């Protein structure tokens, strides 16, 4: 019954997908419109208003330097979303390309690409991230580069598997028979056939990217303060946990909800693409 | 079985070699000179030069690489640049802490997650199923350090049942277990979320199989159908899930060890990184990768145990 409807329609019929999409839209809008909202400056310190609890003036309280926590959470969303979305996007493009080349050409390309990808995947993502940041040093663009390196091998694996499955199909043989160039086979025949699978994992891995970014900032090797990120806010909140729990709890809730929303959407898309999965 | 073990071991050797090479290269392109890092910024050029010579840093890269590899194979990981202690000693004292944390979290995850997964599958669509799904969605979405902070706030600060930080007095097992409680609960609850979800999915799949219908039609009780006929067939996905998630656990243990100040590998990793102690950092990275490779290999072998059809391949 539901099989006759298009994937998009089935997605929109699922309540969990709708909740996820609405949540993501709200967070993205808040982050994008942050400078226009009536928020106090996330960097403005108030020496006389430190560690104030939630009130009408500052809904989520203030931190140890008197900065407004709500404003920092919303501005922190900008950094966290920017880093995760850009690095997942870059890793998706790079990983797909490398994986398809390895799966399609086989031979030396396959051995070289897959050995390096498998070896990089032998490191848990956060630990590889820490090692790379140790070399790169902190900063927004460096975190993006680091996350791209961490996430790319995962896309290589997926794209490689899919490309191996697709390359023996008749339509690829037909394209080869009329000597279609590789970039055409890639763009017209391979990528469209493996795209949905890659998109699903990309959406599910946005959550992982947000977690790793927050962890790096938490450790103190990600985006440098005073730029607010959820990770460095939680870090500074940890020292004041007994007396000002809102400092750590507000950004924690923001990370948690953002990942929940992305997981809801990712799971729903996976259910539509692969109905064998029970949500 | 022995042949399988040998074949899998031979398979991982090239991976181990590439992993080691990657780590070696990463450490060599890292900014800062280990000798300067060790002596401090104000050391004289001669002192730095003589230490570089002593550490073998003036020799060609390939010779340093071979030396490092030889040292690793002999269990000699060099001396820490910050403390001067042998790195193998540091790792030997930190590794059990991390493994204890990972093992206890895995145990909590499996002991609670498997029953919850079965119940939510059998009671599909009922309130307990909805609650279970909400729980696993939350567990999959909460970063370990966020959950760790919540548990610390609840059970160490608001209601001080458990100690907040530290690894416990050495030699005092009950104190160490008490200190392990919150960290392992943090990772255990996250693990439980993964286990519940996979168990529910694979149980739902298995419950639709013909042999389950046959078993039911023979009048076998539902409990027996689920435990004797369905459960063993759910184990293959569970094994692969455990392998993936032990790796997630090891990764998350870094954060949990930082929050709860546990003297494990994660703390060693971060302090080595902060102090630019590349000798320790290189070894810790190799140990982490070694654990992952070992876990994957064990999972491959376990597949054969839980599913005899895979063994023959």
């Amino acid at each position: 019954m539901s099989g006759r409807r298009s994937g998009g329609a089935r997605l929109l019929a699922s309540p969990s997908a709708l909740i996820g999409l609405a949540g993501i839209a709200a967070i993205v809008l808040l982050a994008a419109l942050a400078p226009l909202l009536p928020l106090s400056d996330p960097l403005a310190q108030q020496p006389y208003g430190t560690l104030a609890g939630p009130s009408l003036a500052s809904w989520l309280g203030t931190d140890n330097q008197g900065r407004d926590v709500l404003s920092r959470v919303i501005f922190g969303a900008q950094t966290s979303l920017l880093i995760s979305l850009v690095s997942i996007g870059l890793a998706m493009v790079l990983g797909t390309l490398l994986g398809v080349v390895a799966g399609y050409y086989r031979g030396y390309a396959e051995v070289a690409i897959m050995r390096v990808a498998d070896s990089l995947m032998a490191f848990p993502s956060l630990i590889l991230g820490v090692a790379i940041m140790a070399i790169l040093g902190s900063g927004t663009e460096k975190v993006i580069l680091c996350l791209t390196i961490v996430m790319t091998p995962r896309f290589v694996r997926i794209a490689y598997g899919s490309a191996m499955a697709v390359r023996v199909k008749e339509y690829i043989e037909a394209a080869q028979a009329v000597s279609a160039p590789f970039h055409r086979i890639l763009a017209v025949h391979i990528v469209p056939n493996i795209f949905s699978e890659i998109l699903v994992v990309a959406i599910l891995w946005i959550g992982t990217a947000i977690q790793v970014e927050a962890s790096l900032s938490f450790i103190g090797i990600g985006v440098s303060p005073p730029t607010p990120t959820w990770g460095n806010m939680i870090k500074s909140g940890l020292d004041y946990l007994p007396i000002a729990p809102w400092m750590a709890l507000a950004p924690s809730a923001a990370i948690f909800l953002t990942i929940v929303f992305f997981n809801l959407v990712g799971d729903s898309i996976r259910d539509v693409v692969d109905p064998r999965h029970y949500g | 079985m022995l042949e399988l073990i040998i074949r899998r071991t031979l398979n991982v050797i090239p991976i181990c070699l590439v992993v080691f090479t990657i780590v070696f290269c990463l450490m060599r392109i890292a900014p800062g000179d280990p000798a300067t890092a060790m002596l401090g910024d104000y050391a004289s050029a001669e002192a730095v030069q003589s230490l570089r010579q002593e550490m073998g840093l003036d020799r060609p890269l390939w010779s340093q690489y071979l030396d490092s590899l030889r040292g690793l194979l002999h269990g000699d990981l060099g001396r820490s640049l910050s403390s001067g202690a042998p790195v193998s000693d540091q790792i030997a004292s930190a590794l059990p802490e991390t493994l204890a944390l990972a093992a206890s979290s895995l145990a909590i995850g499996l002991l609670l997650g498997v029953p919850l997964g079965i119940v939510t599958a059998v009671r599909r669509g009922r309130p307990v199923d909805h609650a279970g799904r909400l729980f696993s969605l939350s567990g999959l979405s909460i970063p370990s350090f966020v959950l760790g902070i919540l548990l610390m706030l609840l059970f160490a600060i608001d209601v001080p049942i458990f100690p907040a930080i530290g690894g416990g007095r050495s030699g005092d097992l009950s104190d160490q277990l008490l200190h392990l409680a919150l960290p392992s609960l943090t990772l255990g609850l996250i693990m439980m979320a993964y286990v519940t979800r996979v168990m529910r999915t694979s149980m739902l799949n298995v419950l639709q199989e013909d042999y389950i219908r046959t078993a039911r039609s023979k009048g076998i009780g539902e409990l027996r159908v689920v435990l004797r006929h369905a459960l063993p067939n759910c184990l293959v996905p569970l094994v692969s899930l455990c392998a993936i998630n032990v790796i997630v656990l090891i990764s998350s243990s870094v954060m949990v060890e930082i929050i709860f100040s546990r003297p494990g590998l994660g703390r060693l990793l971060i302090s080595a990184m902060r102090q630019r102690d590349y000798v320790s950092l290189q070894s810790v990275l190799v140990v982490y990768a070694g654990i992952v490779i070992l876990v994957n290999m064990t999972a491959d072998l376990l597949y054969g145990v839980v599913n005899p059809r895979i063994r023959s391949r």
Side-chain angles (χ1 to χ4, degrees), chain B residues 71 119 124 137 148 162 176 179 215 239:
Chain B
V119 171
R124 189 181 181 193
L137 175 71
F162 296 108
Q176 286 177 339
H179 280 83
V239 166

Side-chain angles (χ1 to χ4, degrees), chain A residues 205-223:
Chain A
W205 282 339
I206 289 175
T208 310
I210 293 176
Q211 282 207 30
V212 175
E213 184 277 319
S215 305
L216 292 174
S217 297
F218 180 89
I219 296 171
I221 51 176
V223 176

Side-chain angles (χ1 to χ4, degrees), chain B:
Chain B
M1 195 67 190
L2 186 69
E3 191 205 327
L4 188 72
I5 295 178
I6 295 173
R7 213 168 47 207
R8 295 279 190 234
T9 315
L10 289 179
N11 273 345
V12 301
I13 289 175
I15 297 273
C16 293
L17 209 62
V18 179
V19 162
F20 177 76
T21 313
I22 289 176
V23 171
F24 182 86
C25 295
L26 280 179
M27 294 303 108
R28 289 309 178 278
I29 52 174
D33 174 55
T36 318
M38 209 166 163
L39 292 173
D41 290 336
Y42 301 108
S44 69
E46 292 81 30
V48 171
Q49 191 52 37
S50 87
L51 185 66
R52 280 181 63 86
Q53 227 160 23
E54 198 183 310
M55 293 166 68
L57 291 171
D58 55 339
R59 286 184 293 127
L61 264 188
W62 60 267
S63 142
Q64 291 183 38
Y65 173 79
L66 287 181
D67 266 4
S68 261
L69 189 60
R70 203 175 300 130
L72 180 70
L73 293 176
H74 287 97
D76 172 19
L77 304 172
R79 284 178 176 277
S80 157
L81 296 182
S82 50
S83 67
V87 175
S88 46
D89 289 359
Q90 289 185 326
I91 287 177
S93 75
L95 186 60
E97 299 280 350
T98 300
L99 292 183
L101 175 59
S104 52
S105 322
L106 185 64
I108 292 176
L110 286 174
L111 285 177
L112 302 177
V114 169
L116 184 60
I118 296 175
V119 171
T120 50
V122 173
R123 296 262 177 273
R124 189 181 181 193
R126 308 270 182 83
V128 63
D129 182 27
H130 296 310
R133 290 178 68 182
L134 195 64
F135 167 79
S136 43
L137 175 71
S138 312
L140 294 174
S141 305
I142 196 161
S144 58
F145 58 104
V146 170
L147 183 58
I149 288 172
L150 277 181
L151 291 178
M152 188 193 266
L153 194 61
L154 287 177
F155 298 114
I157 295 174
D158 283 352
V159 189
I161 309 174
F162 296 108
I165 55 168
R169 286 184 297 276
S170 62
D172 185 348
L173 187 66
S174 62
D175 191 44
Q176 286 177 339
L177 285 178
L178 210 58
H179 280 83
L180 186 62
L182 285 184
S184 60
L185 194 62
T186 305
L187 291 180
L189 284 174
I190 292 177
M191 188 71 190
M192 179 184 165
Y194 283 96
V195 172
T196 305
R197 169 178 278 209
V198 166
M199 204 57 212
R200 176 178 180 274
T201 308
S202 59
M203 188 54 99
L204 283 175
N205 280 329
V206 169
L207 285 176
Q208 290 182 332
E209 296 285 341
D210 291 340
Y211 52 82
I212 297 295
R213 200 176 313 131
T214 312
R216 280 190 183 136
S217 68
K218 287 199 292 190
I220 299 174
E222 190 61 25
L223 189 67
R224 198 175 150 82
V225 168
V226 170
L227 295 183
R228 280 297 300 278
H229 296 261
L231 184 60
N233 289 295
C234 298
L235 292 181
V236 174
L238 195 64
V239 166
S240 71
L241 168 97
C242 283
I244 296 169
N245 285 296
V246 166
I247 298 165
V248 174
L249 274 185
I250 298 282
S251 194
S252 311
S253 71
V254 176
M255 302 306 292
V256 172
E257 282 172 2
I258 295 174
I259 288 175
F260 292 101
S261 295
R262 284 182 61 78
L265 271 188
R267 281 240 314 220
L268 198 58
L269 174 84
I270 301 303
S271 70
M273 198 210 66
R274 290 225 172 99
Q275 293 164 346
R276 297 187 171 273
D277 177 354
Y278 294 124
V279 177
S280 303
L281 191 55
Q282 172 175 316
S283 307
V284 176
L285 288 174
V286 169
V287 170
Y288 270 122
I291 296 176
V292 172
I293 291 171
L294 210 63
V295 167
N296 282 332
M297 209 172 92
T298 315
D300 273 355
L301 296 174
L302 271 179
Y303 288 140
V305 176
V306 295
N307 186 353
R309 269 175 297 179
I310 297 176
R311 205 180 309 161
S312 54
R313 271 184 224 158

